[in-house]
Amino acid sequence: MESLGVGILGFGTVGSGVYEIFKSNSQIIEKRAGKRIEVKKILDVRDFSGHEAESLITNNFDDILNDPSINVVAEMMGGVEPAFSYAKKALEAGKSVVTSNKALVADRGAELIKTAKDNNVNFMFEASCGGTIPIIRPLNTSLTADNIIKIEGILNGTTNYILTKMTAEGRSFAEVLKDAQKLGYAEADPTADVEGYDACRKIAILSSIAFGGTVDYNDILTEGITKITHEDIEYAFEMGCVIKLIASSEFKEGGVCAKVTPCVISRNHPLSSVNNAFNAIFVKGDMSGETMYYGSGAGKLPTAAAVVGDIIDEVRNMGSFIPTSWDIDKKISVLSRDMASIRGFVRVLINNKVEAEKSIDHIFGKVAFIDAGFENEIGFVSGVETESTMSDKLSSLGQCSGVEKIINMIRMEE
Amino acid sequence: MESLGVGILGFGTVGSGVYEIFKSNSQIIEKRAGKRIEVKKILDVRDFSGHEAESLITNNFDDILNDPSINVVAEMMGGVEPAFSYAKKALEAGKSVVTSNKALVADRGAELIKTAKDNNVNFMFEASCGGTIPIIRPLNTSLTADNIIKIEGILNGTTNYILTKMTAEGRSFAEVLKDAQKLGYAEADPTADVEGYDACRKIAILSSIAFGGTVDYNDILTEGITKITHEDIEYAFEMGCVIKLIASSEFKEGGVCAKVTPCVISRNHPLSSVNNAFNAIFVKGDMSGETMYYGSGAGKLPTAAAVVGDIIDEVRNMGSFIPTSWDIDKKISVLSRDMASIRGFVRVLINNKVEAEKSIDHIFGKVAFIDAGFENEIGFVSGVETESTMSDKLSSLGQCSGVEKIINMIRMEE
């Protein structure tokens, strides 16, 4: 039986998971791919002396690029460079590229798909969104009879783990983050996760496929979870709700409304029960209605399984470009945030309750007050406002008599 | 641009949905398929005079078989014959076949896949399991790095609708069924749905793909929901549970443990919140862990969307057989039901409480009694038993003093 070679770029968590899966599941992989697949070389600058894969390690990308026995390059280095240059060179050399790197795909995906197409190979990235969850391929090959209307979900495992623990254990963001770092659920520099940048890139990628044109992640309203406190979570509890970091993207006339923000969602909302490092993605189509996809959003073997699934698909389709719904010649605008209306849960620090309530009534009209038992503050749910009206009203309220300052505003998801 | 032709077999609910989707979403379909796709002929013996598709209707299958402009046949007639003969002839004539017909796939799937392979065309059946939910294609093309360990889910929309209404409205099976028939959620002859036969065929199909060999649906333990009463549902409520018709299949040494039965499941179980005609399927792999897929399990446009998705995939791959994980040369045995252990919720009609409790204690040992406020009966949850021990113990208990008869035994899903 013919054998095909894989080169791995980056022997970290996911990269070593890919190596392990090829070892432990070689039989079923060979059966499904119809060919033997072997890891031939691994690029990593670190020292792996004594590791069973030691003989495969190289610190020179050219060793992989120039190895004619390597047909597929699996990139798990993270970041845009040098991942982009390596991926581009590999594609130009007639090797398919498979990646779990959302930063790379969100930033240079269209260009790499074009390079793949020009060279009759493939650029695949199932593992870049939703970890192990099959979502890229279902969008590209199953939900094809639909005009997709909306995508919404929990796309970041780290923040979902942190919010789950904050909710269950009543601890602060900083405390839980520290534990998450110790346990390997959060990186030493957690910025990309906790500030929402990671989820932002993922919703941009999913939107590009679902709506059929490149969506620029730079234009997506992105807010992380660093300002979420245990008090916010207690208010949510009072309302029969939890707080989740929700990424959403909705197709409208002329573009998409897309955002990544913490949201107060009802405990009846199906995303409310997605906990720990799990992800879940809802897709709404005009024919299929709502479908949902759920699974591990992170983790060594689950993410690596998605990478290996892509490699198997590539091996089955060797020599032909697999169509994608992402039209690389088309750009889809992210619409002004004022195209979207929101209801906000607002917390206000006060020095005079009667005055503050009068001010709130004056500026926001009828609101629903929420009492979670905290002193010197008022919590309320606003009516529906555009993003900019909300922002203006909060500024005004901050200046009013009786009000010390606006503590927080969290969007409500209905 | 090249144009391809589709012949529709059966112009009922799903068949007319397929026709409608090709009309309403022709633009996006053409873009995704890379070719224009046209419905050329429709086989149905009924009279469609005055219908806009009237000119396409034929009552002679040969008109479709012998039409060289028809490349794909979409079979939505239901039942094994004549669907099988038509599908087989179409494949032999070099036309791919797409179907939503679970009876056909469960009964003759392996043979039709072989015929497709021999003729370099495809036999596709995404719509046969889980309605609109992408599950066949993810199993065949995404979860390929995994040894699949278990599949479990709610696979029948009609019974899930009936159980949802019985639970929400406190009404009897017979009453809700009548309403469901009026509303089109249940067929005039509801046997295949309410007796679990439909779900049984679906779990056999999913098992055949997931575990890589034909699983015979005839061997699967199958129990429907006709014996479920509102009292059972109230007992379940007392236990913090609901009752769902669960199909499951688990890979073990030497075969699979597969069954379709009503189950008492915790309200914390993710399947407990799958309501109405929705379906949900969990897949457990040794690498990806648990993934879940959710969507409309029935309905005209959702099911038709899955059929059209298959047609688009076929058009993109015209002229080549798409690999499937279902090894058609391999049979996988359904293991004796004694390989599976269950915990049962048992209801017993009694004439003497003290005597009956003594008998239960004697036969079942330590059990948990459940009080839902009904007189002259005892409800309890047994320990873990094999299926045949459970059956023997229930027979013995039925003979004991204090006991009139066993009312019901429903499996607990943990």
Side-chain angles (χ1 to χ4, degrees), chain A residues 160-174:
Chain A
N160 203 47
Y161 174 86
I162 293 173
L163 289 173
T164 302
K165 290 288 164 199
M166 285 175 70
T167 305
E169 298 168 10
R171 291 191 301 153
S172 73
F173 170 77

mmCIF file with all atom_site columns, all heavy atoms in Angstrom, chain A residues 160-174:
data_model
loop_
_atom_site.group_PDB
_atom_site.id
_atom_site.type_symbol
_atom_site.label_atom_id
_atom_site.label_alt_id
_atom_site.label_comp_id
_atom_site.label_asym_id
_atom_site.label_entity_id
_atom_site.label_seq_id
_atom_site.pdbx_PDB_ins_code
_atom_site.Cartn_x
_atom_site.Cartn_y
_atom_site.Cartn_z
_atom_site.occupancy
_atom_site.B_iso_or_equiv
_atom_site.pdbx_formal_charge
_atom_site.auth_seq_id
_atom_site.auth_comp_id
_atom_site.auth_asym_id
_atom_site.auth_atom_id
_atom_site.pdbx_PDB_model_num
ATOM 1   N N   . ASN A 1 160 ? -14.388 30.037 28.890 1.00 0.00 ? 160 ASN A N   1
ATOM 2   C CA  . ASN A 1 160 ? -15.562 29.302 29.362 1.00 0.00 ? 160 ASN A CA  1
ATOM 3   C C   . ASN A 1 160 ? -15.233 28.524 30.635 1.00 0.00 ? 160 ASN A C   1
ATOM 4   O O   . ASN A 1 160 ? -16.054 28.451 31.556 1.00 0.00 ? 160 ASN A O   1
ATOM 5   C CB  . ASN A 1 160 ? -16.096 28.363 28.278 1.00 0.00 ? 160 ASN A CB  1
ATOM 6   C CG  . ASN A 1 160 ? -17.549 28.025 28.492 1.00 0.00 ? 160 ASN A CG  1
ATOM 7   O OD1 . ASN A 1 160 ? -18.375 28.904 28.739 1.00 0.00 ? 160 ASN A OD1 1
ATOM 8   N ND2 . ASN A 1 160 ? -17.879 26.741 28.438 1.00 0.00 ? 160 ASN A ND2 1
ATOM 9   N N   . TYR A 1 161 ? -14.010 27.999 30.683 1.00 0.00 ? 161 TYR A N   1
ATOM 10  C CA  . TYR A 1 161 ? -13.559 27.330 31.908 1.00 0.00 ? 161 TYR A CA  1
ATOM 11  C C   . TYR A 1 161 ? -13.528 28.327 33.073 1.00 0.00 ? 161 TYR A C   1
ATOM 12  O O   . TYR A 1 161 ? -14.031 28.040 34.163 1.00 0.00 ? 161 TYR A O   1
ATOM 13  C CB  . TYR A 1 161 ? -12.170 26.715 31.678 1.00 0.00 ? 161 TYR A CB  1
ATOM 14  C CG  . TYR A 1 161 ? -11.556 26.123 32.922 1.00 0.00 ? 161 TYR A CG  1
ATOM 15  C CD1 . TYR A 1 161 ? -11.849 24.810 33.292 1.00 0.00 ? 161 TYR A CD1 1
ATOM 16  C CD2 . TYR A 1 161 ? -10.703 26.868 33.729 1.00 0.00 ? 161 TYR A CD2 1
ATOM 17  C CE1 . TYR A 1 161 ? -11.308 24.262 34.447 1.00 0.00 ? 161 TYR A CE1 1
ATOM 18  C CE2 . TYR A 1 161 ? -10.161 26.330 34.885 1.00 0.00 ? 161 TYR A CE2 1
ATOM 19  C CZ  . TYR A 1 161 ? -10.465 25.027 35.238 1.00 0.00 ? 161 TYR A CZ  1
ATOM 20  O OH  . TYR A 1 161 ? -9.931  24.492 36.380 1.00 0.00 ? 161 TYR A OH  1
ATOM 21  N N   . ILE A 1 162 ? -12.959 29.500 32.833 1.00 0.00 ? 162 ILE A N   1
ATOM 22  C CA  . ILE A 1 162 ? -12.851 30.505 33.904 1.00 0.00 ? 162 ILE A CA  1
ATOM 23  C C   . ILE A 1 162 ? -14.238 30.938 34.385 1.00 0.00 ? 162 ILE A C   1
ATOM 24  O O   . ILE A 1 162 ? -14.507 30.989 35.592 1.00 0.00 ? 162 ILE A O   1
ATOM 25  C CB  . ILE A 1 162 ? -12.023 31.732 33.429 1.00 0.00 ? 162 ILE A CB  1
ATOM 26  C CG1 . ILE A 1 162 ? -10.557 31.310 33.213 1.00 0.00 ? 162 ILE A CG1 1
ATOM 27  C CG2 . ILE A 1 162 ? -12.120 32.890 34.423 1.00 0.00 ? 162 ILE A CG2 1
ATOM 28  C CD1 . ILE A 1 162 ? -9.678  32.390 32.583 1.00 0.00 ? 162 ILE A CD1 1
ATOM 29  N N   . LEU A 1 163 ? -15.142 31.230 33.447 1.00 0.00 ? 163 LEU A N   1
ATOM 30  C CA  . LEU A 1 163 ? -16.490 31.669 33.846 1.00 0.00 ? 163 LEU A CA  1
ATOM 31  C C   . LEU A 1 163 ? -17.237 30.544 34.570 1.00 0.00 ? 163 LEU A C   1
ATOM 32  O O   . LEU A 1 163 ? -17.971 30.798 35.531 1.00 0.00 ? 163 LEU A O   1
ATOM 33  C CB  . LEU A 1 163 ? -17.290 32.125 32.614 1.00 0.00 ? 163 LEU A CB  1
ATOM 34  C CG  . LEU A 1 163 ? -16.829 33.445 31.976 1.00 0.00 ? 163 LEU A CG  1
ATOM 35  C CD1 . LEU A 1 163 ? -17.582 33.691 30.667 1.00 0.00 ? 163 LEU A CD1 1
ATOM 36  C CD2 . LEU A 1 163 ? -17.025 34.633 32.933 1.00 0.00 ? 163 LEU A CD2 1
ATOM 37  N N   . THR A 1 164 ? -17.041 29.305 34.129 1.00 0.00 ? 164 THR A N   1
ATOM 38  C CA  . THR A 1 164 ? -17.683 28.164 34.795 1.00 0.00 ? 164 THR A CA  1
ATOM 39  C C   . THR A 1 164 ? -17.223 28.069 36.248 1.00 0.00 ? 164 THR A C   1
ATOM 40  O O   . THR A 1 164 ? -18.041 27.914 37.167 1.00 0.00 ? 164 THR A O   1
ATOM 41  C CB  . THR A 1 164 ? -17.353 26.841 34.060 1.00 0.00 ? 164 THR A CB  1
ATOM 42  O OG1 . THR A 1 164 ? -17.781 26.938 32.698 1.00 0.00 ? 164 THR A OG1 1
ATOM 43  C CG2 . THR A 1 164 ? -18.051 25.653 34.713 1.00 0.00 ? 164 THR A CG2 1
ATOM 44  N N   . LYS A 1 165 ? -15.913 28.185 36.454 1.00 0.00 ? 165 LYS A N   1
ATOM 45  C CA  . LYS A 1 165 ? -15.365 28.091 37.817 1.00 0.00 ? 165 LYS A CA  1
ATOM 46  C C   . LYS A 1 165 ? -15.787 29.281 38.662 1.00 0.00 ? 165 LYS A C   1
ATOM 47  O O   . LYS A 1 165 ? -16.108 29.138 39.845 1.00 0.00 ? 165 LYS A O   1
ATOM 48  C CB  . LYS A 1 165 ? -13.828 28.028 37.771 1.00 0.00 ? 165 LYS A CB  1
ATOM 49  C CG  . LYS A 1 165 ? -13.272 26.731 37.215 1.00 0.00 ? 165 LYS A CG  1
ATOM 50  C CD  . LYS A 1 165 ? -13.467 25.573 38.201 1.00 0.00 ? 165 LYS A CD  1
ATOM 51  C CE  . LYS A 1 165 ? -13.273 24.247 37.489 1.00 0.00 ? 165 LYS A CE  1
ATOM 52  N NZ  . LYS A 1 165 ? -13.832 23.108 38.180 1.00 0.00 ? 165 LYS A NZ  1
ATOM 53  N N   . MET A 1 166 ? -15.763 30.491 38.084 1.00 0.00 ? 166 MET A N   1
ATOM 54  C CA  . MET A 1 166 ? -16.196 31.677 38.831 1.00 0.00 ? 166 MET A CA  1
ATOM 55  C C   . MET A 1 166 ? -17.638 31.497 39.300 1.00 0.00 ? 166 MET A C   1
ATOM 56  O O   . MET A 1 166 ? -17.988 31.847 40.428 1.00 0.00 ? 166 MET A O   1
ATOM 57  C CB  . MET A 1 166 ? -16.096 32.944 37.953 1.00 0.00 ? 166 MET A CB  1
ATOM 58  C CG  . MET A 1 166 ? -14.672 33.456 37.742 1.00 0.00 ? 166 MET A CG  1
ATOM 59  S SD  . MET A 1 166 ? -14.604 34.868 36.578 1.00 0.00 ? 166 MET A SD  1
ATOM 60  C CE  . MET A 1 166 ? -15.387 36.179 37.568 1.00 0.00 ? 166 MET A CE  1
ATOM 61  N N   . THR A 1 167 ? -18.474 30.928 38.427 1.00 0.00 ? 167 THR A N   1
ATOM 62  C CA  . THR A 1 167 ? -19.890 30.742 38.739 1.00 0.00 ? 167 THR A CA  1
ATOM 63  C C   . THR A 1 167 ? -20.073 29.656 39.801 1.00 0.00 ? 167 THR A C   1
ATOM 64  O O   . THR A 1 167 ? -20.823 29.832 40.760 1.00 0.00 ? 167 THR A O   1
ATOM 65  C CB  . THR A 1 167 ? -20.671 30.352 37.455 1.00 0.00 ? 167 THR A CB  1
ATOM 66  O OG1 . THR A 1 167 ? -20.425 31.349 36.470 1.00 0.00 ? 167 THR A OG1 1
ATOM 67  C CG2 . THR A 1 167 ? -22.158 30.240 37.725 1.00 0.00 ? 167 THR A CG2 1
ATOM 68  N N   . ALA A 1 168 ? -19.359 28.546 39.636 1.00 0.00 ? 168 ALA A N   1
ATOM 69  C CA  . ALA A 1 168 ? -19.566 27.408 40.536 1.00 0.00 ? 168 ALA A CA  1
ATOM 70  C C   . ALA A 1 168 ? -18.953 27.660 41.904 1.00 0.00 ? 168 ALA A C   1
ATOM 71  O O   . ALA A 1 168 ? -19.484 27.196 42.919 1.00 0.00 ? 168 ALA A O   1
ATOM 72  C CB  . ALA A 1 168 ? -18.967 26.148 39.917 1.00 0.00 ? 168 ALA A CB  1
ATOM 73  N N   . GLU A 1 169 ? -17.831 28.387 41.945 1.00 0.00 ? 169 GLU A N   1
ATOM 74  C CA  . GLU A 1 169 ? -17.079 28.479 43.192 1.00 0.00 ? 169 GLU A CA  1
ATOM 75  C C   . GLU A 1 169 ? -17.070 29.863 43.814 1.00 0.00 ? 169 GLU A C   1
ATOM 76  O O   . GLU A 1 169 ? -16.437 30.083 44.859 1.00 0.00 ? 169 GLU A O   1
ATOM 77  C CB  . GLU A 1 169 ? -15.640 27.991 42.942 1.00 0.00 ? 169 GLU A CB  1
ATOM 78  C CG  . GLU A 1 169 ? -15.619 26.518 42.512 1.00 0.00 ? 169 GLU A CG  1
ATOM 79  C CD  . GLU A 1 169 ? -14.266 26.066 41.974 1.00 0.00 ? 169 GLU A CD  1
ATOM 80  O OE1 . GLU A 1 169 ? -13.283 26.825 42.109 1.00 0.00 ? 169 GLU A OE1 1
ATOM 81  O OE2 . GLU A 1 169 ? -14.219 24.952 41.420 1.00 0.00 ? 169 GLU A OE2 1
ATOM 82  N N   . GLY A 1 170 ? -17.744 30.814 43.166 1.00 0.00 ? 170 GLY A N   1
ATOM 83  C CA  . GLY A 1 170 ? -17.829 32.150 43.742 1.00 0.00 ? 170 GLY A CA  1
ATOM 84  C C   . GLY A 1 170 ? -16.489 32.857 43.881 1.00 0.00 ? 170 GLY A C   1
ATOM 85  O O   . GLY A 1 170 ? -16.318 33.699 44.765 1.00 0.00 ? 170 GLY A O   1
ATOM 86  N N   . ARG A 1 171 ? -15.539 32.503 43.012 1.00 0.00 ? 171 ARG A N   1
ATOM 87  C CA  . ARG A 1 171 ? -14.231 33.147 43.130 1.00 0.00 ? 171 ARG A CA  1
ATOM 88  C C   . ARG A 1 171 ? -14.028 34.241 42.079 1.00 0.00 ? 171 ARG A C   1
ATOM 89  O O   . ARG A 1 171 ? -14.785 34.343 41.117 1.00 0.00 ? 171 ARG A O   1
ATOM 90  C CB  . ARG A 1 171 ? -13.130 32.084 43.025 1.00 0.00 ? 171 ARG A CB  1
ATOM 91  C CG  . ARG A 1 171 ? -13.136 31.178 44.280 1.00 0.00 ? 171 ARG A CG  1
ATOM 92  C CD  . ARG A 1 171 ? -11.933 30.297 44.344 1.00 0.00 ? 171 ARG A CD  1
ATOM 93  N NE  . ARG A 1 171 ? -11.858 29.441 43.175 1.00 0.00 ? 171 ARG A NE  1
ATOM 94  C CZ  . ARG A 1 171 ? -10.722 28.962 42.681 1.00 0.00 ? 171 ARG A CZ  1
ATOM 95  N NH1 . ARG A 1 171 ? -9.570  29.264 43.255 1.00 0.00 ? 171 ARG A NH1 1
ATOM 96  N NH2 . ARG A 1 171 ? -10.731 28.183 41.624 1.00 0.00 ? 171 ARG A NH2 1
ATOM 97  N N   . SER A 1 172 ? -12.977 35.031 42.255 1.00 0.00 ? 172 SER A N   1
ATOM 98  C CA  . SER A 1 172 ? -12.744 36.161 41.356 1.00 0.00 ? 172 SER A CA  1
ATOM 99  C C   . SER A 1 172 ? -12.057 35.697 40.077 1.00 0.00 ? 172 SER A C   1
ATOM 100 O O   . SER A 1 172 ? -11.441 34.630 40.034 1.00 0.00 ? 172 SER A O   1
ATOM 101 C CB  . SER A 1 172 ? -11.864 37.207 42.036 1.00 0.00 ? 172 SER A CB  1
ATOM 102 O OG  . SER A 1 172 ? -10.537 36.731 42.097 1.00 0.00 ? 172 SER A OG  1
ATOM 103 N N   . PHE A 1 173 ? -12.140 36.539 39.062 1.00 0.00 ? 173 PHE A N   1
ATOM 104 C CA  . PHE A 1 173 ? -11.479 36.269 37.789 1.00 0.00 ? 173 PHE A CA  1
ATOM 105 C C   . PHE A 1 173 ? -9.995  35.998 37.997 1.00 0.00 ? 173 PHE A C   1
ATOM 106 O O   . PHE A 1 173 ? -9.451  35.004 37.478 1.00 0.00 ? 173 PHE A O   1
ATOM 107 C CB  . PHE A 1 173 ? -11.683 37.464 36.845 1.00 0.00 ? 173 PHE A CB  1
ATOM 108 C CG  . PHE A 1 173 ? -10.849 37.392 35.604 1.00 0.00 ? 173 PHE A CG  1
ATOM 109 C CD1 . PHE A 1 173 ? -11.214 36.556 34.554 1.00 0.00 ? 173 PHE A CD1 1
ATOM 110 C CD2 . PHE A 1 173 ? -9.682  38.140 35.483 1.00 0.00 ? 173 PHE A CD2 1
ATOM 111 C CE1 . PHE A 1 173 ? -10.430 36.474 33.420 1.00 0.00 ? 173 PHE A CE1 1
ATOM 112 C CE2 . PHE A 1 173 ? -8.898  38.054 34.348 1.00 0.00 ? 173 PHE A CE2 1
ATOM 113 C CZ  . PHE A 1 173 ? -9.270  37.222 33.305 1.00 0.00 ? 173 PHE A CZ  1
ATOM 114 N N   . ALA A 1 174 ? -9.323  36.858 38.768 1.00 0.00 ? 174 ALA A N   1
ATOM 115 C CA  . ALA A 1 174 ? -7.865  36.740 38.944 1.00 0.00 ? 174 ALA A CA  1
ATOM 116 C C   . ALA A 1 174 ? -7.474  35.418 39.604 1.00 0.00 ? 174 ALA A C   1
ATOM 117 O O   . ALA A 1 174 ? -6.532  34.756 39.172 1.00 0.00 ? 174 ALA A O   1
ATOM 118 C CB  . ALA A 1 174 ? -7.343  37.923 39.764 1.00 0.00 ? 174 ALA A CB  1
#
